[in-house]
Amino acid sequence: MDEREKEKRGSDTGKKIGRRSLLKVGAAALAGVFAARTVKGEGSSGKSLKGKRLAMVIDLQRCTGCGGCIFTCKIENNVQSGVAWSSRIIKTSGKFPNLRYEYIPTLCNHCEKAPCVKACPTKAMHKGDGGMTLHTPKKCIGCRTCQAVCPYEVIHANTEEPHKFWRGDEVAIADCTSSPSELVERMKGKIPSYNPDKEKSSSGAGLRYKGIVEKCTFCDHMVRNGKVPFCVDRCPASARIFGDLNDPESAVSKILTKYRPWRLKEHLGTEPKIFYVRNYNPGNYEKSKGSV
Ligand code: SF4
Ligand code: SF4
């Protein structure tokens, strides 16, 4: 078991899947996403994250670009259609047959010097334990100042009533399947991907509301229970590593000393805590044989 696998506390995955079989990886990612709902619900007591500097490293050589992190985040955090807290930058350059394809997964950078936190007039956007950038829905007045100052465009504003899909009456098969709104009715008004665990870390965070903003929270509801964010847990290629920068023995600290890391828009001085190492380069992929 390598360092990043050890770091996946609470994970029931842990398989390493080679880049050669993208189809297999995609299937594994989806399987992981749907299995994910069974892992939550361990109470709200939580662990103290005081004194920690939580960060994520994304190993681009391991990343296969399967998008499993995007699906996982949506399911776990009840992210509505048309919104992605976990996303990616895709770049294609060159001329056929000498093409280069790059895939860079993205999310809130949980910046140490977060402009969104500094600018928020109500302290709805704030720094939580472990240095996570969090948002309190009840304090948010929807002024969107945070969205304007975030250089990474990871804050989404709900200008319309969220979860439109779940209010629809369309059925896939007439006289056979239920419509989305019928499903919601059967679930006593909760949309099917509603996650009550989110309420434990911040009241009102389990659902989305019109007129306020939302973004990645590093799955703080899981991290407080000693787990890792779900995108880390469910990444079938183990490309995501999460841990404490203040702990020299953590997997993130070790990987950051082994490779030369870089961060998005580093020149802006926001001190992002999402680090990238190595390159997305499937043509020259080298197995790391269980080591970092
Ligand atoms: Fe704030 Fe944007 Fe930095 Fe996230 S990436 S902490 S939303 S400034
Ligand atoms: Fe703060 Fe909400 Fe305004 Fe953003 S939209 S700056 S979180 S009050």
Side-chain angles (χ1 to χ4, degrees):
M1 184 181 285
D2 68 16
E3 290 298 330
R4 70 192 72 198
E5 293 301 334
K6 284 179 199 161
E7 199 76 359
K8 282 183 169 187
R9 290 160 300 169
S11 165
D12 58 356
T13 52
K15 278 186 198 159
K16 287 186 281 296
I17 298 176
R19 190 185 297 267
R20 279 174 298 171
S21 178
L22 290 183
L23 280 176
K24 275 187 191 169
V25 167
L30 284 175
V33 166
F34 290 113
R37 304 298 296 162
T38 62
V39 181
K40 299 178 289 78
E42 298 207 338
S44 58
S45 54
K47 289 195 175 182
S48 172
L49 300 171
K50 283 208 167 65
K52 292 190 193 293
R53 278 168 69 225
L54 298 172
M56 189 184 295
V57 179
I58 302 180
D59 184 343
L60 294 175
Q61 190 177 92
R62 282 210 172 190
C63 174
T64 61
C66 71
C69 44
I70 299 173
F71 285 115
T72 301
C73 175
K74 274 185 170 280
I75 298 286
E76 178 60 22
N77 293 300
N78 175 28
V79 179
Q80 57 187 318
S81 47
V83 181
W85 290 3
S86 173
S87 189
R88 78 275 190 268
I89 296 168
I90 289 175
K91 288 185 202 161
T92 310
S93 53
K95 257 190 170 180
F96 184 81
N98 298 314
L99 287 167
R100 180 170 170 76
Y101 176 74
E102 282 177 84
Y103 186 101
I104 303 169
T106 58
L107 61 158
C108 168
N109 286 278
H110 294 269
C111 310
E112 273 187 268
K113 295 179 182 161
C116 60
V117 171
K118 200 170 169 197
C120 176
T122 66
K123 296 193 172 24
M125 201 65 83
H126 63 280
K127 277 289 171 192
D129 289 349
M132 295 184 283
T133 304
L134 302 176
H135 178 252
T136 308
K138 285 184 175 169
K139 285 189 181 173
C140 182
I141 55 172
C143 64
R144 297 172 68 174
T145 311
C146 53
Q147 192 185 33
V149 299
C150 169
Y152 303 98
E153 298 177 27
V154 295
I155 299 178
H156 176 82
N158 292 319
T159 51
E160 292 180 4
E161 204 65 56
H163 296 300
K164 201 173 168 188
F165 171 81
W166 293 109
R167 292 194 303 279
D169 290 325
E170 260 182 53
V171 293
I173 306 169
D175 301 323
C176 180
T177 56
S178 300
S179 70
S181 58
E182 282 167 343
L183 278 176
V184 171
E185 204 179 315
R186 273 190 224 163
M187 296 190 73
K188 299 193 172 105
K190 301 283 186 205
I191 62 164
S193 56
Y194 169 73
N195 182 349
D197 285 358
K198 296 286 289 180
E199 301 285 354
K200 292 172 186 167
S201 55
S202 177
S203 172
L207 286 171
R208 305 278 96 78
Y209 303 97
K210 185 180 175 183
I212 64 169
V213 301
E214 60 178 76
K215 68 159 200 73
C216 154
T217 64
F218 256 171
C219 284
D220 63 307
H221 59 293
M222 301 198 69
V223 173
R224 287 176 211 281
N225 281 321
K227 296 183 178 180
V228 293
F230 244 39
C231 59
V232 176
D233 187 72
R234 297 289 151 167
C235 172
S238 297
R240 292 181 176 223
I241 308 106
F242 183 79
D244 179 14
L245 289 176
N246 282 343
D247 176 3
E249 293 304 312
S250 70
V252 283
S253 298
K254 285 183 181 171
I255 287 165
L256 290 177
T257 52
K258 178 162 181 173
Y259 299 112
R260 184 182 294 179
W262 60 275
R263 295 175 284 182
L264 288 170
K265 299 185 183 177
E266 213 162 343
H267 62 284
L268 296 178
T270 57
E271 298 290 332
K273 291 214 296 304
I274 306 298
F275 296 84
Y276 298 90
V277 295
R278 304 202 284 182
N279 292 314
Y280 183 81
N281 193 356
N284 289 320
Y285 180 63
E286 286 173 22
K287 275 188 183 174
S288 49
K289 294 195 173 104
S291 73
V292 295

